[in-house]
Amino acid sequence: MSEKKITLAHGNGGKLTHETISSIFVPAFNNPELRELADAACVSVGGQRIAFTTDSHVISPIFFPGGDIGKLAVAGTVNDLAVMGARPMYLSCGLIIEEGFGVDDLRKIVQSMSVTAKEAGVHIVTGDTKVVEKGAADGIFINTSGIGLLSEKVPKGMKSIQVGDAVILSGSLGDHGVAIYSKRENLLLKNSLKSDCAIILPLVEKAMGVCDSIRIMRDPTRGGLATTLNEFVSEQAFGIEIVEENIPVKEAVMAVCEMLGFDPLYMANEGKVVMVVPAESAEEVVSALKSLPLGRDAAFIGHISGEFPGKVCLKTLVSGERMIDMLVNDPFPRIC
Amino acid sequence: MSEKKITLAHGNGGKLTHETISSIFVPAFNNPELRELADAACVSVGGQRIAFTTDSHVISPIFFPGGDIGKLAVAGTVNDLAVMGARPMYLSCGLIIEEGFGVDDLRKIVQSMSVTAKEAGVHIVTGDTKVVEKGAADGIFINTSGIGLLSEKVPKGMKSIQVGDAVILSGSLGDHGVAIYSKRENLLLKNSLKSDCAIILPLVEKAMGVCDSIRIMRDPTRGGLATTLNEFVSEQAFGIEIVEENIPVKEAVMAVCEMLGFDPLYMANEGKVVMVVPAESAEEVVSALKSLPLGRDAAFIGHISGEFPGKVCLKTLVSGERMIDMLVNDPFPRIC
């Protein structure tokens, strides 16, 4: 890493984030679990296989259409466990609060964490609260770490992906990113957009119920779908081809993106899952997802291709082809 | 809780922190593991008993005599697992970094985490990095959550404490709090004081090796020994009597405390353990602790007494008696 100072782009979940991880963290903390760079580490404790993950949430604003930082913190960590094929069980809650923060707001956030945890069937069993002076933090930051139980039947991960496999997305792209951006910038939208912030565990369970050879699942948060798909293939002998017209994007999201020059492929999602499955299971998995309200816009959006090793290629609406890199410079700070 | 705004005292680890926990978090997250209010939650995952804990570190300054925020973050979480009688195994690392933070400082901190993790025999297997705009955080905050393996032989906790039991402290009080305070305020001390920041796992293992009926162990961090001892007895039918002249405090620490009106009983420690053991094991446990460099000042400092239900009583050097409450108003912000 050549930079001397940390920039917002180091935290955008894209290329610089990956560089920081691979040049600073992976060499220092050197262990096989971390090197997997999955959404959660899979470890053994006394012979029991468990998934373990952590996420700090610094979203601004803390209350937004469709959720708040509390809901996001619980759903985000539950989702990271779910996409590993784990059954989420226990969460921790580490708060950093700025002096002067409203106790009523804290109560609302904690209540929201409690409701979301109940919905996900997890227990928040341990916590820590730090208070820093006025000006030393912006309101409230929440870390949630989580533990999930791994079964025998979990996705085998990147190495199991094969040419011809189908890429499936559980719903429309960019709702969270655009909702946060609009709220932050006080954009007045006729159809006020909501974040898609949600527990995706039911989607994952439904898909695993009809397909026991899902290769990999991820929730495309910071960095968006484009970054997640690049992670799937960046060191592989094959690539991914996705078809623009198959990718669900809400009209209002598209409108904001066009107005501001954003690309929905890079916008954050907080209630979606992208999965790679064998081609022959694709139809069944899409149907299974569509049977749930959260998955009604699920779609088969592309496939693993031998043509573009290590790359993600978008077939555009005008029949062109465009290579899609990881998120690079756009910082989108504090989106989660 | 009657306050409308969060104050620094809500985060000092003392009375207001306890009030916040019991009035906001415990009712909302309602579950037996959290209600224990131990340093880590003891949970079952697929039949395996594990300890799970979290701590956010917001210390200022981030580099201090005897350590840095990285060493503190790893040692703090390892110690929270160790005092539950668990074998610390895996840690997570959640960073919140202010835009403009030096990459060299980040490397130093990560290196320090790596060295401390090796010393403790734990692996940092999962992580998350968020970057916030300049001014939205102060430098760097680190959350570490941790998982440990529980054996059959763990301390039974507060309910197992009995009148007559001995209270043992592994070394001198207040080194961390006074070192941080002095560095922050640029106090020039002749014998420059160092934080006691250290992994206490060897002390805990040594004690458990000679005594299989340790009632409870804690590392007295924020709020100091006074707050920890109050936690032991606050809802019990008995109290604790400690003897001032038996409590090890370094001369330099005492000097700073006297100069500034602090009480070492309330100063934070980051490499000490206090334990309650059956009276007949006290001598053997103290000898065992003393056999390690980290425990050379270990001392039998008092006992569980039927006389002061729910209270902690200090027999002072001048043969007086003084009731010692939890830390109340002093904020001591960002001490860990």
Side-chain angles (χ1 to χ4, degrees):
Chain A
M1 204 167 104
S2 56
E3 290 83 1
K4 289 220 164 1
K5 300 277 183 194
I6 296 291
T7 66
L8 290 173
H10 285 103
N12 70 7
K15 220 161 191 171
L16 271 179
T17 306
H18 282 84
E19 254 184 63
T20 316
I21 293 170
S22 59
S23 73
I24 297 187
F25 299 113
V26 172
F29 298 156
N30 187 29
N31 60 69
E33 292 84 3
L34 186 64
R35 274 195 300 273
E36 286 286 318
L37 297 180
D39 282 358
C42 297
V43 296
S44 293
V45 182
Q48 182 62 58
R49 295 287 292 165
I50 67 174
F52 181 32
T53 190
T54 192
D55 246 327
S56 292
H57 299 82
V58 298
I59 194 166
S60 169
I62 53 174
F63 298 101
F64 52 83
D68 59 49
I69 190 171
K71 179 180 181 185
L72 183 73
V74 172
T77 292
V78 165
N79 290 348
D80 280 347
L81 295 171
V83 294
M84 300 302 293
R87 182 157 67 85
M89 297 191 68
Y90 302 106
L91 298 193
S92 65
C93 167
L95 302 179
I96 299 173
I97 308 179
E98 184 187 13
E99 181 187 11
F101 190 78
V103 170
D104 284 348
D105 281 349
L106 178 61
R107 281 185 197 277
K108 260 201 267 183
I109 290 165
V110 167
Q111 188 52 31
S112 173
M113 295 184 77
S114 161
V115 168
T116 314
K118 271 202 194 91
E119 187 196 331
V122 298
H123 298 282
I124 300 172
V125 291
T126 186
D128 174 58
T129 303
K130 295 284 164 27
V131 181
V132 298
E133 324 86 273
K134 189 111 197 131
D138 183 15
I140 188 167
F141 300 147
I142 305 183
N143 177 284
T144 40
S145 300
I147 294 175
L149 180 65
L150 287 167
S151 68
E152 294 298 304
K153 237 186 73 179
V154 303
K156 302 267 180 300
M158 293 188 200
K159 282 168 202 144
S160 68
I161 298 175
Q162 293 173 25
V163 171
D165 284 348
V167 180
I168 289 167
L169 179 63
S170 70
S172 64
L173 281 191
D175 302 20
H176 179 75
V178 168
I180 299 306
Y181 193 86
S182 305
K183 168 90 180 165
R184 203 186 285 166
E185 304 298 322
N186 281 314
L187 294 187
L188 293 172
L189 301 172
K190 240 196 321 201
N191 299 314
S192 91
L193 266 170
K194 275 189 182 163
S195 162
D196 58 346
C197 180
I199 303 280
I200 58 172
L201 185 61
L203 291 171
V204 165
E205 285 176 340
K206 200 85 184 176
M208 289 177 74
V210 299
C211 175
D212 58 9
S213 51
I214 294 175
R215 315 296 193 198
I216 193 166
M217 301 185 277
R218 284 283 188 282
D219 58 329
T221 56
R222 276 186 299 177
L225 179 72
T227 302
T228 300
L229 293 183
N230 270 283
E231 288 170 6
F232 287 173
V233 294
S234 68
E235 290 180 5
Q236 309 263 31
F238 45 75
I240 293 180
E241 186 182 304
I242 51 174
V243 180
E244 189 170 21
E245 65 178 328
N246 294 353
I247 300 173
V249 181
K250 291 200 174 97
E251 262 180 52
V253 169
M254 193 50 95
V256 173
C257 284
E258 282 178 353
M259 191 165 70
L260 299 170
F262 295 155
D263 185 339
L265 287 173
Y266 291 95
M267 300 303 279
N269 312 281
E270 291 292 346
K272 297 298 170 348
V273 54
V274 55
M275 37 184 88
V276 179
V277 307
E280 62 272 20
S281 306
E283 208 171 310
E284 208 174 357
V285 170
V286 171
S287 303
L289 294 175
K290 276 178 175 295
S291 74
L292 295 173
L294 216 56
R296 64 172 178 274
D297 297 325
F300 164 61
I301 61 166
H303 67 278
I304 304 298
S305 156
E307 274 187 66
F308 321 96
K311 306 258 180 242
V312 177
C313 174
L314 179 75
K315 298 268 179 194
T316 65
L317 290 171
V318 291
S319 303
E321 273 182 10
R322 181 155 66 91
M323 291 302 163
I324 300 293
D325 200 356
M326 284 192 180
L327 178 63
V328 182
N329 256 328
D330 282 315
F332 288 121
R334 303 181 64 186
I335 204 76
C336 60
Chain B
M1 206 167 103
S2 56
E3 291 82 1
K4 289 222 168 353
K5 300 277 183 194
I6 296 290
T7 66
L8 289 172
H10 285 103
N12 70 7
K15 222 161 191 172
L16 271 180
T17 305
H18 283 82
E19 255 184 63
T20 316
I21 294 170
S22 58
S23 73
I24 296 187
F25 300 113
V26 172
F29 299 156
N30 188 29
N31 60 70
E33 293 84 2
L34 185 64
R35 274 194 300 273
E36 285 286 318
L37 297 179
D39 282 358
C42 297
V43 296
S44 292
V45 181
Q48 183 61 58
R49 295 287 292 165
I50 66 175
F52 180 33
T53 190
T54 191
D55 246 327
S56 292
H57 299 83
V58 297
I59 193 165
S60 169
I62 53 174
F63 298 102
F64 51 82
D68 59 50
I69 190 171
K71 178 179 181 186
L72 183 72
V74 172
T77 293
V78 165
N79 291 348
D80 280 346
L81 294 171
V83 293
M84 299 303 293
R87 181 156 67 83
M89 297 191 69
Y90 302 106
L91 298 194
S92 65
C93 167
L95 301 179
I96 298 172
I97 308 179
E98 184 188 14
E99 181 187 12
F101 191 77
V103 170
D104 284 348
D105 281 350
L106 178 61
R107 282 187 196 277
K108 258 200 267 183
I109 290 166
V110 167
Q111 188 52 33
S112 174
M113 294 184 79
S114 161
V115 168
T116 314
K118 272 205 193 89
E119 186 196 332
V122 297
H123 298 283
I124 301 172
V125 291
T126 187
D128 173 59
T129 304
K130 294 284 165 23
V131 181
V132 297
E133 325 88 271
K134 189 111 197 132
D138 184 15
I140 187 168
F141 301 147
I142 305 183
N143 177 283
T144 41
S145 300
I147 295 175
L149 180 66
L150 287 167
S151 68
E152 294 297 305
K153 236 186 73 179
V154 303
K156 301 270 180 300
M158 292 188 200
K159 283 169 202 146
S160 67
I161 299 174
Q162 293 172 26
V163 171
D165 284 349
V167 180
I168 290 167
L169 179 64
S170 70
S172 64
L173 282 191
D175 302 19
H176 179 75
V178 168
I180 299 304
Y181 193 87
S182 305
K183 169 88 180 166
R184 204 187 285 165
E185 304 297 322
N186 281 315
L187 293 185
L188 293 171
L189 301 171
K190 240 197 324 202
N191 300 315
S192 91
L193 266 171
K194 275 189 183 165
S195 162
D196 58 347
C197 181
I199 302 279
I200 58 172
L201 185 61
L203 292 172
V204 165
E205 285 176 339
K206 200 84 184 176
M208 288 177 74
V210 299
C211 175
D212 57 11
S213 50
I214 294 175
R215 314 297 193 195
I216 193 166
M217 300 186 277
R218 284 284 188 282
D219 57 330
T221 56
R222 277 185 298 177
L225 180 72
T227 302
T228 300
L229 294 183
N230 270 282
E231 288 169 5
F232 287 173
V233 295
S234 67
E235 291 180 3
Q236 308 262 32
F238 45 75
I240 293 180
E241 185 181 304
I242 52 173
V243 180
E244 188 169 21
E245 68 178 327
N246 294 352
I247 300 173
V249 181
K250 291 199 174 99
E251 262 180 54
V253 169
M254 193 49 96
V256 173
C257 284
E258 282 178 353
M259 192 165 68
L260 299 170
F262 294 155
D263 184 338
L265 287 174
Y266 291 95
M267 300 303 279
N269 312 280
E270 290 292 346
K272 299 296 170 351
V273 54
V274 55
M275 38 183 87
V276 179
V277 306
E280 61 273 21
S281 307
E283 209 172 308
E284 208 174 356
V285 170
V286 171
S287 304
L289 294 174
K290 276 177 175 296
S291 73
L292 295 173
L294 215 55
R296 64 174 177 274
D297 297 325
F300 163 61
I301 61 165
H303 67 279
I304 305 297
S305 156
E307 272 187 68
F308 322 95
K311 307 257 179 242
V312 178
C313 173
L314 179 75
K315 298 269 180 192
T316 66
L317 290 170
V318 291
S319 302
E321 273 181 8
R322 182 156 65 92
M323 291 301 161
I324 300 293
D325 201 354
M326 285 190 177
L327 177 62
V328 183
N329 255 329
D330 281 317
F332 288 121
R334 302 180 64 184
I335 204 74
C336 62

